[in-house]
Amino acid sequence: MNIQIRERPEAAASAGIKTAIADCDIHPARATKDELHPYLAKRWHSHLETFGVHAYQGMMEGPPYPKAQPNASRRDAYPPEGGPQGSSLSFMQKQHLDPNNVALGVLNPLNTGQGIRNQDLAGAICTAVNDWQIEKWTSKDLRLKGSVVVANEDGVSAAAEIRRRAGDSNFVQVLLLSRNVEPLGQRRYWPIYEAAEEAGLPIGVHAFGFGGNPITASGWPSYYIEEMVGHSQCQQTALASLVLEGVFERFPKLKMVMVEAGFGWAPSLAWRLDKVFSRLHAEVPHLKRKPSEYIRDHIWWTTQPMEDPESRDHLFQTIEWIGWDKLLFATDYPHWDYDEPSRVLPAGVSDANRQAFYLDNAKQLYGIS
Amino acid sequence: MTSPIAGGVDCDLHPAVPHLTSLLPYMNDYWRDQVTTRGMTDLISQSYPTNSPIASRPDWRPAQGKPGSSLADMQRQALDRFGTATGICNPLYGVQMVFSEDMADAFCRALNDWLVKEWLDKDDRLRGSIVIPVQSIEKAVAEIERCAQDRRFVQVLMLVMGDMPLGKRHYWPIYAAAERLGLPIGIHAGSAYHNPPTSVGWGSYHIEDYVAQAQAFQTQLTSLIVEGVFARHPNLKMVMLESGFTWLPPFLWRLHKFWRGVRMETPWVDRAPLEIVRSNIRFSLQPVDAPPDGDTLNRLFDHMQSDELILFSTDYPHWQFDGDEVLPKGLSQDLVRKIMIDNPHATYPRLQVKETVR
């Protein structure tokens, strides 16, 4: 999955999985810096040229924690025609979608307008990315479905963008990131939830993003690995906020997917929430049920990076605590920590659970027949 | 119910400072004058509002004053009741929260001296943790060295949420002093509130802050492991206090997986994270964030792949359990003995020999 040390023979790419799968976390990239320009008003072209993207983090070029390899992506995933990994539909089809039998691929574009401080620019880029997803990807390959990206810090503009895309079968969810200016349960984000519920679109909350807060409650750590591991703690806290603020009480039909943040921690977090809630429920009287019940009913989990304990029994017990009906297989293509479909589940899973894990849960959640 | 056995070590007791004025006798003239003239009253952290249900079990709440402020209550409700041979006092007074290193230093010294006089001198079973002014490494090390002369101080206490991740090299002189003096570092739940109390910003509620302690412990473990604290200080033990522990296995699965992927970034980490945890990290028992059935808990212990990680604690007077159910259901007698006696003694070198005090 990591470093390419020699050319892979063509045959290796077709040694994929035999049954059809859903891949619920694919990252499409732009082939060139200007690829969004046709979808952006002229004023933004010069704005971007002059001021760049003014984000909730300090680095103008490159991420604050340098990745372990270029674009955090597989070295064997550069398209032959040039451009970064994940930027060519034909190569994605050849390297991933065809050999791995991907029947449904959910696109989660990163590097959009999310985490940008100028909210007008954030909204314009998000709208452009949504148009770009249709034109470059979903209209060209019907297996692929887009995620509506929105200006996450501007609930009103975000809700308008969701309503604009409602009913458009190119999109199967709304995409947020876990790290925002405030925890995700806060009211500034409720217009997003209201519009998503109304449109019948689940909300994917992908690990990552920038909201200006250090990635630990003790300030900024030193290393990339701390940022990577830390995303799962951010996700835990964001989910606790969603539950404790009463988002699922307020929006009872809302479904959310925790994307690329792990799932092994879910039982422990739910137990902790229930235990503390039994002591402190007077502070949050808007909750009518135990926190774990909201999680059980409203949350789905993508699998990559797959939990990888030494003992497969530990993995199976953890999944049973969560529910085989709640996991959505994902590869994270083309990123370096990609999970290989044929190898991600150990032996010993029933056919029904395998089918749910690889395909049926996703089709049901995203309404794909 | 699992019954406790006599002779145990309670690793997390919280004696409460009644009021800032209680520390005045332990301050010099300048600081006594500062406290009085400036009208400073108390140092109560948002982490533990005095009247919050979590801050005290209902039947342990005194008619007057702060929970945990009476030695007689602690003796009757915790030490005598659970047959405790040794109890480690971890004061949670807000002295680490102030921004001035001079003030923090004065208040920490007063707090440590107060603990000796008002608690350790009055009950031979009690041991103490050294509260340090982390705002200044020099002053923190000096306070560790000053207090360590009294062998009844058995560990150094830090908060899980401070100014910087605890693995940062900045803090290493503290760890060097602790290792040299046979003192584990106890890292306790709670924030100095010098950063937002979660890694995604400020939540609305006390309950969020409390739930988020578990995530803060996870990020600190990452920091401590990947910065190489235990490669430099292989004999240093750290104890996660009031941290919960059911999050540990999935946390380690993830850390291990990424360490395998990007270990070139931190080449000094020469052992797998799980091995480092097994040799250097311990966790207090309460709170047990698990369902009440013994079967699930035993599976979780199996996921932890070690019976040496957990140290008995009541978290007195915090409300973590009811009645006499200080031990969760389903523990074997062998595990009870390890948790209550063997593991704490293997963790705290200064408990090895029964000290004759003073």
Side-chain angles (χ1 to χ4, degrees), chain A residues 163 193-201:
Chain A
R163 293 196 168 97
Y193 307 143
E194 183 181 25
E197 185 188 49
E198 188 185 295
L201 290 170

Side-chain angles (χ1 to χ4, degrees), chain A residues 123-124 126-128 130-131 148 156-168 171 195 199:
Chain A
C126 285
T127 299
N130 292 333
D131 290 339
V148 181
V156 174
S157 136
E161 180 67 14
I162 294 167
R163 293 196 168 97
R164 192 174 306 133
R165 309 291 174 177
D168 182 340
F171 297 99

Side-chain angles (χ1 to χ4, degrees), chain B residues 17-269:
Chain B
V17 176
H19 194 261
L20 187 53
T21 55
S22 315
L23 299 186
L24 288 179
Y26 306 97
M27 294 180 199
N28 66 21
D29 287 348
Y30 174 79
W31 285 107
R32 264 201 298 276
D33 186 55
Q34 286 280 301
V35 169
T36 312
T37 307
R38 296 169 75 178
M40 290 181 237
T41 53
D42 215 343
L43 296 168
I44 299 172
S45 169
Q46 289 272 1
S47 298
Y48 297 97
T50 305
N51 292 326
S52 162
I54 206 98
S56 177
R57 231 172 88 157
D59 56 333
W60 289 347
R61 194 174 280 283
Q64 287 184 326
K66 292 179 187 169
S69 57
S70 152
L71 173 63
D73 283 353
M74 183 193 282
Q75 289 167 331
R76 183 167 49 81
Q77 293 165 341
L79 299 173
D80 299 344
R81 186 159 178 178
F82 303 115
T84 298
T86 308
I88 301 174
C89 295
N90 297 321
L92 295 178
Y93 202 45
V95 290
Q96 303 104 318
M97 302 174 68
V98 303
F99 288 97
S100 150
E101 65 176 67
D102 302 314
M103 184 185 286
D105 188 38
F107 288 0
C108 285
R109 292 168 69 94
L111 178 63
N112 292 326
D113 289 347
W114 169 87
L115 185 71
V116 169
K117 285 278 179 280
E118 307 283 336
W119 295 82
L120 308 190
D121 282 355
K122 292 180 176 170
D123 190 318
D124 283 349
R125 290 171 293 186
L126 293 179
R127 294 293 180 271
S129 292
I130 305 166
V131 179
I132 54 172
V134 282
Q135 295 84 341
S136 158
I137 297 304
E138 282 180 13
K139 291 183 170 76
V141 169
E143 183 61 3
I144 292 169
E145 287 172 344
R146 185 183 77 90
C147 294
Q149 293 168 30
D150 184 336
R151 303 276 306 171
R152 292 172 299 173
F153 279 110
V154 300
Q155 92 183 329
V156 173
L157 193 65
M158 301 176 84
L159 291 180
V160 73
M161 303 186 212
D163 293 79
M164 282 189 287
L166 287 172
K168 287 265 189 185
R169 314 282 157 84
H170 173 77
Y171 293 116
W172 286 18
I174 292 174
Y175 306 147
E179 185 186 41
R180 179 162 43 82
L181 294 163
L183 297 162
I185 302 282
I187 298 173
H188 198 281
S191 179
Y193 289 92
H194 294 184
N195 281 296
T198 89
S199 54
V200 292
W202 293 84
S204 305
Y205 305 109
H206 163 52
I207 187 173
E208 279 179 274
D209 287 15
Y210 194 77
V211 169
Q213 308 287 350
Q215 288 84 56
F217 278 100
Q218 293 168 47
T219 60
Q220 292 293 22
L221 263 191
T222 308
S223 171
L224 291 163
I225 290 169
V226 306
E227 292 269 4
V229 170
F230 305 105
R232 174 68 76 91
H233 301 291
N235 298 316
L236 182 65
K237 293 275 199 298
M238 291 206 181
V239 185
M240 308 293 126
L241 294 160
E242 204 181 326
S243 56
F245 55 85
T246 62
W247 50 261
L248 181 68
F251 164 77
L252 284 174
W253 300 340
R254 188 174 179 91
L255 178 59
H256 186 86
K257 184 165 184 160
F258 288 148
W259 172 70
R260 281 190 317 190
V262 299
R263 57 189 291 185
M264 54 78 177
E265 188 190 24
T266 55
W268 47 83
V269 182

Side-chain angles (χ1 to χ4, degrees), chain A residues 222 224 245 268 272 283 317, chain B residues 204 206 227 246 265 289 303:
Chain A
S222 305
Y224 172 52
E245 292 280 352
S268 175
R272 182 173 180 87
E283 194 194 17
Q317 284 160 4
Chain B
S204 305
H206 163 52
E227 292 269 4
T246 62
E265 188 190 24
D289 295 328
H303 290 200

